Amino acid sequence: MLALPAFRIGHFLAKRGLPAFASIRTAHGHEIAKQEDMSVPKYIDRQDTPLPDVPYQQELNSEQRALKVKERGSWKDLTNEEKLAIYRIMFHQSYGEMKKPTNEWKTVIGGLLYFVGFTGLIVWWQRVYVYPKMPHTLTEDWKAMQARRMLDMRMNPIEGFASKWDYEKNEWKK
């Protein structure tokens, strides 16, 4: 039953070719993503390269064009607001603004603690509901009886367990 739709698509492609398949994809909203031209310089605010290749605003309005013309003259005639506006044409952020710390660390620590807490809940749930009860052979009384039995049998008397027991004084060797 699944072979029939595959056969129809194969028949459609064989009859009309690959361009027909591409038109089906574009008709259903699956356009091909456009790739950026990486040979063109781009504006990037980075601390290690404080002077980008291109200005921040490449398309200027009439007020900004007038400021660029006024910039060619004496900078003593410019006000501080005009100097700042010229700076903002070239750069999006100042070096101090780039270095300013963000509060992103709070989000990272919060997410980390959330997942640690969630993992703790899963471990607790597994201990309570998944793992079986501890076997009786792991209790302290059972371990003591087992050690006494191994000593009574003189198990591994040369280098092992029984070699560390003094049988005459009935205590561990010092």
Side-chain angles (χ1 to χ4, degrees), residues 3-19:
L4 186 60
F7 174 77
R8 286 184 180 173
I9 291 173
H11 179 70
F12 179 76
L13 287 177
K15 193 172 185 181
R16 298 203 177 176
L18 194 58

Side-chain angles (χ1 to χ4, degrees), residues 35-131:
Q35 186 174 358
E36 287 191 46
D37 185 10
M38 298 307 282
S39 65
V40 178
K42 301 208 178 314
Y43 180 85
I44 300 173
D45 276 331
R46 292 180 48 156
Q47 290 183 14
D48 57 345
T49 54
L51 297 173
D53 296 331
V54 294
Y56 175 63
Q57 294 181 352
Q58 294 180 359
E59 297 173 7
L60 304 177
N61 60 23
S62 60
E63 183 180 314
Q64 291 170 335
R65 275 189 239 115
L67 271 176
K68 289 298 269 184
V69 170
K70 200 172 181 184
E71 174 188 26
R72 294 183 193 137
S74 175
W75 277 65
K76 292 178 184 176
D77 299 338
L78 295 174
T79 65
N80 285 339
E81 290 80 20
E82 291 173 333
K83 289 178 186 176
L84 184 61
I86 291 171
Y87 182 84
R88 292 299 177 186
I89 291 172
M90 289 299 294
F91 304 104
H92 178 62
Q93 293 180 325
S94 68
Y95 198 67
E97 290 170 343
M98 282 189 272
K99 287 178 60 176
K100 186 174 119 182
T102 63
N103 290 330
E104 185 181 6
W105 68 272
K106 294 177 185 177
T107 306
V108 172
I109 296 294
L112 179 75
L113 291 175
Y114 174 79
F115 284 111
V116 166
F118 185 70
T119 304
L121 285 175
I122 290 174
V123 169
W124 171 79
W125 179 81
Q126 287 178 340
R127 280 192 172 187
V128 171
Y129 295 107
V130 176
Y131 295 138

Side-chain angles (χ1 to χ4, degrees), residues 154-167:
R154 296 181 187 258
M155 189 174 276
N156 206 354
I158 309 273
E159 293 182 359
F161 193 71
S163 67
K164 296 173 177 63
W165 182 258
D166 188 357
Y167 286 94

